[in-house]
Amino acid sequence: MKILLLDKNHPLITEQLLAKNFILEEDFTSSYDEVCSKIQNYDGVIIRSRIPLDKNFLEKASNLKFIARVGAGMENIDIPVAEKLGIQLINSPEGNRDSVAEHVVGMLLILMNRLFIASNEVKKGIWLREENRGDELLGKTVGLIGYGNMGKATAKRLSGFGCKVIFHDILSNLSDEFATQVSLEELKEKAEVLSLHIPMTEETHYLIDSTFINEMKNNFYFVNTARGKNVETKYLVEALKSGKVKGACLDVLEYEKASFENLESENEDLQYLLDSEKVIVTPHIAGWTHQSKEKLAQIIVDKIIASFC
């Protein structure tokens, strides 16, 4: 089988697939149109997020047997068209669930204990103790939306901090030793920390809007390591200003490029997030550890070999 690699990934992908007699070609620079012009020559494609695999792309890929996305989210692929064309879709959410979970906990600890702020103050010769009094995770009720690989890994970590973890998911009967499944209404009633672990779909686009925020009974901390457009940022900013949202940990932003490589726009709401002491922002790196890079790649290779060798 002839496979096109469109993004740089861990070298084990190339090493192990070559060892199984796959033919590999790398193209990390060609434009969308240039790739479309040659995609009919390949049986498989391995991607991250650089190029969208839309209806036009997939219809030109007349010989494509599979698409392997090194990561979890599949929104860069027109899934209904791919399925109609009989193209197998492969991803690897198991590979970065642990790094996402640790990132969630790390951001919450930094935000709630003012660690970054206090450290910067001391380095500037400012010694404030009462002003930097922290807020403990112990005893908090944490509500997760989405209980797949990322949600489960996050619940496992938070349960170790003495949190009561509840979650809502579109699938049923997912409760385990780390978290209890509840209705969305009950989650809004009880959660003191809200964390998103959902894909980007029509249903989850702007899930967190003014209505959702206002329906939360408690003032709450908010965490998003899922997708930026799960949140309507202007209403998050309003809630931060009013105190309804006590603080936000954002690894993803509504204003990111589709490739996740940078921001595509700037505005007053974004500037507020960047300037606020109540907000921690990281550049879409929750799933981006040295360990996850290798695990993501290995899972992709294993799934390709299992299906096509």
Side-chain angles (χ1 to χ4, degrees), residues 75 79-80 145-146 168-171 184 188 196-209 212 227 229-232:
E75 70 270 16
I79 293 175
I145 301 184
H168 175 73
D169 196 282
I170 57 174
L171 301 178
L184 192 56
K188 291 176 182 178
L196 302 187
H197 301 276
I198 50 179
M200 185 63 228
T201 66
E202 289 184 10
E203 291 73 23
T204 63
H205 183 236
Y206 285 166
L207 175 67
I208 308 303
D209 58 10
F212 192 107
R227 289 293 183 261
K229 289 183 172 59
N230 294 142
V231 181
E232 198 162 3

Side-chain angles (χ1 to χ4, degrees), residues 97-110 154 223-225 249-251 280-289:
R97 60 189 175 193
D98 297 311
S99 61
V100 169
E102 290 190 13
H103 199 89
V104 170
V105 174
M107 286 198 297
L108 280 171
L109 292 173
I110 290 168
T154 300
V223 186
N224 190 11
T225 55
C249 304
L250 307 174
D251 182 55
I280 292 176
V281 184
T282 52
H284 205 129
I285 56 168
W288 208 251
T289 61

